Amino acid sequence: MLPVLVVHGGAGHIPKERAELSCGGVMEAVRGGYSILRAGGSAMDAVVEAVTLLEDNPAYNAGRGSVLNVKGEVEMDALVMDGRTLGSGAVSAVRRVKNPVQLARLVMEKTNHLCLTAEGASQFARAMGMEEVPEESLITDYARMRWRKNLAPGANPVECQMGKMGTVGAVAVDVEGNIACATSTGGMLNQMAGRVGDTPCVGCGGYADNKVGAVSPTGHGEAIMKVTLSRLILFHMEQGKSAEEASDLALAYMRERVGGLGGVVVVDPQGNWAARFSSLQMAWAAARQGQLHYGLYTGEHFTEPLEKPSQ
Amino acid sequence: MKTVIVVHGGAWAIPDDISKASVDGVKNAARAGSVILRNGGSALDAVEKAVRTLEDDPVFDAGHGAVLNTNGEVELDAIIMDGGTLAAGAVSSVRNIANPVTLARAVMEKTDHVMLTDRGANLFAESIGFPSTATDALVTENERKEWEKFKKYIVGVKELFNPKWGHDTVGAVALDSLGNVACATSTGGIRNKMVGRVGDSPIIGAGGYADNRSGAVSCTGHGEAILKVTLARLILFHMEQGKTAREAALTSLQYMVERVNGGGGAIVVSPTGDWAAKFNTERMAWAAVEGEVLSYGLNPQEDCKETFQSK
């Protein structure tokens, strides 16, 4: 059953014309990460590779393609966690970095801290020799169009939010049984400057523990925080629930308790996996035992051999 | 219904020369919070008041008296959470704010977000006319000396959490007469931290969590370890499973030592008024008011009692 990799490209309401883009990207990301696992690579390498591919893909709200805050800037959050040591690294409200997930990993590996924020995270990136990219290079026409639309008088920011909540994330178990998760996001459309969502908060925007499993969520960040969604799912799994049962229980709880919608990808140490969501859609893909699984709408689950060319 | 408030002034090797001031400080804060509860005030008001009292007391590493980062600056983190609604507010790496816990509460009450960081938190503070302080107003003479002493010894990266160097996050949990619980935590972090380092305090589920169905927790200690095990949420999870406040705190602190080799402390109150103040560091200054009894302590097993007087 090992290795296994599951990725998501965000839960929300994805406009029809963007649905195909959304599915193609997660399939490509899962192929990229899974090839590392099949070559004997670590779960951490695989989730970082998968999330890097999604950050580089302008169809998602992470890295290039991130939504803009109310001032028209890109501020990004990311988290990685290593289930063997519970080591973790995160950055919040970081600017002008191409791949925040890689910076989060450096926080984990090169500092004795867990989270660096804003200008401090940028200073650290420079100290690590990470290239500072122009803000423009992270901004797509689509993101700018949506930002303008939301600034217009009479715009309903809550409704517009539903258009694209595409945080991205990945969870994996490698052949040695090590588990990892990674999550990355540009946050919420027209968010206040400095708003930090669930993504960089351990236990909210992700959690990985070799003894239980790993989770990467997406959706309404503030709701995910209030119920510490990732840790909640793993608590249910510790109590004997399957990855799927635990996800459904926790997502239902989040809806009832704080009125929030979202989705998750989950793995357990045996290689069982789940991709569940309470939102209208979530682009997801998984790879295990030579098979590629993917879907977008509730109940959708396509399977094809990984080796087959994707056309 | 009975009310309870428990406060802590940080879990670390508190030196003898400030031990009395630390105990006096937490007793004052517990009294201040208790007065609010006795007058029918909310748990939220009580924890905010108690933590403000500790922030204003220069003996503690929060607000006035905070430690300095590697650049010799004060950067503050705080969280507050309402167990009735799971609403929460947090600020990270905020500067020039004397009472970050009150700013965190404003984030909860006046924005759609849970957390604001760095300059974004300051922009928000300005926009609501929140009072700011001069840059050096929060720095004590003693801290400047300690910081300079510290700078002379270039410590190895793995040594930053040396309890001798001071580490005294403050926090409070309360149960009000309507059965609502709340928590608040505030800190200056660890001395000589990297610019932008965010510890456990402002992270929901790590530095604090409050839920009317299970209880409220505020944590202190090795921030990175607390984050890795999401200590506050872990303690409440054990309480959901039927453990008492004391058992849940001890089990979780023990787990944190075994799994990630981290020391710390926690204060806990349940919706029925069962409370605990536990730590596995050398000392933790704590105080609690339940009914007419003010309890307090500093050393392990210490549990002094006196009759509550509002001063």
Side-chain angles (χ1 to χ4, degrees), chain A residues 268-290:
Chain A
D268 76 11
Q270 286 72 46
N272 299 305
W273 62 273
R276 310 292 294 174
F277 48 100
S278 55
S279 50
L280 270 177
Q281 291 143 301
M282 179 176 82
W284 63 269
R288 191 181 68 184
Q289 295 177 309

Side-chain angles (χ1 to χ4, degrees), chain B residues 79-103:
Chain B
I79 191 170
I80 191 163
M81 185 163 182
D82 175 351
T85 57
L86 303 187
V91 289
S92 64
S93 284
V94 70
R95 294 156 191 245
N96 304 87
I97 298 289
N99 293 111
V101 71
T102 300
L103 185 59

Side-chain angles (χ1 to χ4, degrees), chain A residues 73 75 86 112-113 115-118 120 192-196 202 207 209 222 226 228 231 239 257, chain B residues 86 93 113 115-120 157 160 194-198 209 211 213 224 228 233 237 241 259:
Chain A
E73 304 159 335
E75 290 185 314
L86 303 187
N112 57 348
H113 298 324
C115 181
L116 293 176
T117 192
M192 291 170 69
R195 176 262 189 183
V196 179
V202 177
Y207 200 82
D209 182 344
E222 277 70 11
K226 288 174 186 173
T228 59
R231 196 64 189 89
Q239 300 298 305
R257 193 77 197 269
Chain B
L86 303 187
S93 284
H113 301 321
M115 188 173 187
L116 293 176
T117 191
D118 199 74
R119 73 187 170 119
V157 274
L160 262 191
M194 290 170 71
V195 176
R197 176 263 189 186
V198 180
Y209 199 81
D211 182 347
R213 297 181 188 175
E224 278 68 11
K228 287 176 187 173
R233 192 63 190 85
F237 175 69
Q241 304 295 309
R259 193 77 197 270

